[in-house]
């Protein structure tokens, strides 16, 4: 079971998220918080695998709460779920250590998939957010492309699909290989390209 802590200052949002998660056989909501301070306390006590974190809340906001939770438990996965997808919210959240960034207008299935991907070590992003990250990197890149350092043909296939924002499962389906094999290729790609996370790997793909 994936243990999830829901953090949002709107009761209606939390109730909807709980109903959505409770309908999944592999996800368990272990707690709810309506502000960042309570989220930090509950994360320490309940030890969730994934924290679904709102950003704008009274008192301690989601970005501060993310930093504090990860300072105590670096293995916790923080998945941001917010209305605000602008750079002023996106980059501080990533800097604080959030592993993914979803918008509240996303389909419910995307949230469920995001929780599972976050728990599995992936970095789920709403498609428009990932596209903006890649677009910014493309226009900020130097004129000389970065070389791809000795990638195999299959690694190049995986890298291309990572840049498109596909999940490990989607990549496996597209290439007709196992999810474990995809994870192995991504680990190798991160090592070869010196990319600390999936987003950096996607940006490398565009720069190369």
């Amino acid at each position: 079971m994936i243990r999830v802590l829901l953090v949002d200052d709107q009761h209606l949002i939390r109730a909807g998220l709980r109903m959505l998660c409770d309908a999944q056989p592999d996800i368990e909501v272990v707690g709810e918080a309506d502000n960042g301070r309570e989220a930090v306390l509950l994360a320490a006590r309940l030890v969730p695998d994934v924290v679904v974190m709102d950003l704008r809340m009274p008192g301690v906001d989601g970005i501060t709460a993310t930093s504090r939770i990860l300072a105590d438990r670096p293995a916790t996965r923080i998945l941001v779920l917010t209305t605000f997808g602008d750079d002023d919210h996106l980059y501080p959240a990533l800097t604080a250590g959030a592993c993914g960034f979803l918008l509240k207008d996303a389909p419910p299935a995307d949230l469920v998939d995001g929780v599972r991907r976050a728990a599995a070590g992936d970095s789920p992003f709403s498609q428009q957010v990932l596209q903006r990250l890649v677009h910014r990197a493309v226009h900020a890149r130097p004129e000389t492309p970065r070389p791809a350092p000795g990638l195999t043909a299959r690694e190049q296939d995986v890298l291309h699909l990572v840049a498109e924002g596909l999940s490990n499962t989607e990549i496996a389906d597209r290439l007709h290989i196992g999810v474990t094999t995809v994870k192995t290729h991504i680990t190798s790609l991160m090592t070869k390209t010196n990319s600390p996370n999936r987003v950096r790997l996607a940006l490398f793909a565009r720069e190369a």
Side-chain angles (χ1 to χ4, degrees), residues 96-146:
C99 73
F101 198 101
L102 299 181
L103 300 179
K104 287 183 178 178
D105 62 358
D110 285 4
L111 185 277
V112 174
D113 180 63
V115 168
R116 292 182 176 128
R117 289 177 60 188
D122 285 352
S123 298
F125 283 80
S126 289
Q127 190 63 33
Q128 58 266 49
V129 173
L130 183 59
Q131 288 175 347
R132 195 168 77 250
L133 284 169
V134 172
H135 178 78
R136 168 172 283 200
V138 167
H139 288 276
R141 71 184 182 184
E143 293 185 1
T144 303
R146 296 168 61 185

Side-chain angles (χ1 to χ4, degrees), residues 13-15 22 27 48 56 65 74 83 91 102 105 107 109-110 117-118 122 124 130 142 144 150 160 162 175 199 202:
I13 295 293
R14 295 199 314 276
D22 284 346
I27 299 176
R56 285 194 176 182
T83 305
Y91 288 101
L102 299 181
D105 62 358
D110 285 4
R117 289 177 60 188
D122 285 352
L130 183 59
T144 303
H160 176 74
V162 168
L175 299 179
V199 175

Side-chain angles (χ1 to χ4, degrees), residues 64-81:
T64 303
T66 295
S67 296
R68 292 179 181 177
I69 290 172
L70 293 177
D72 290 335
R73 296 191 62 83
T76 305
R77 306 288 286 172
I78 309 290
L79 175 60
V80 169
L81 181 66

Side-chain angles (χ1 to χ4, degrees), residues 2 21 34 42 50 78 89 126 145 194 208:
I2 302 170
C21 291
D34 62 8
L42 287 179
V50 178
I78 309 290
H89 292 84
S126 289
N194 196 30

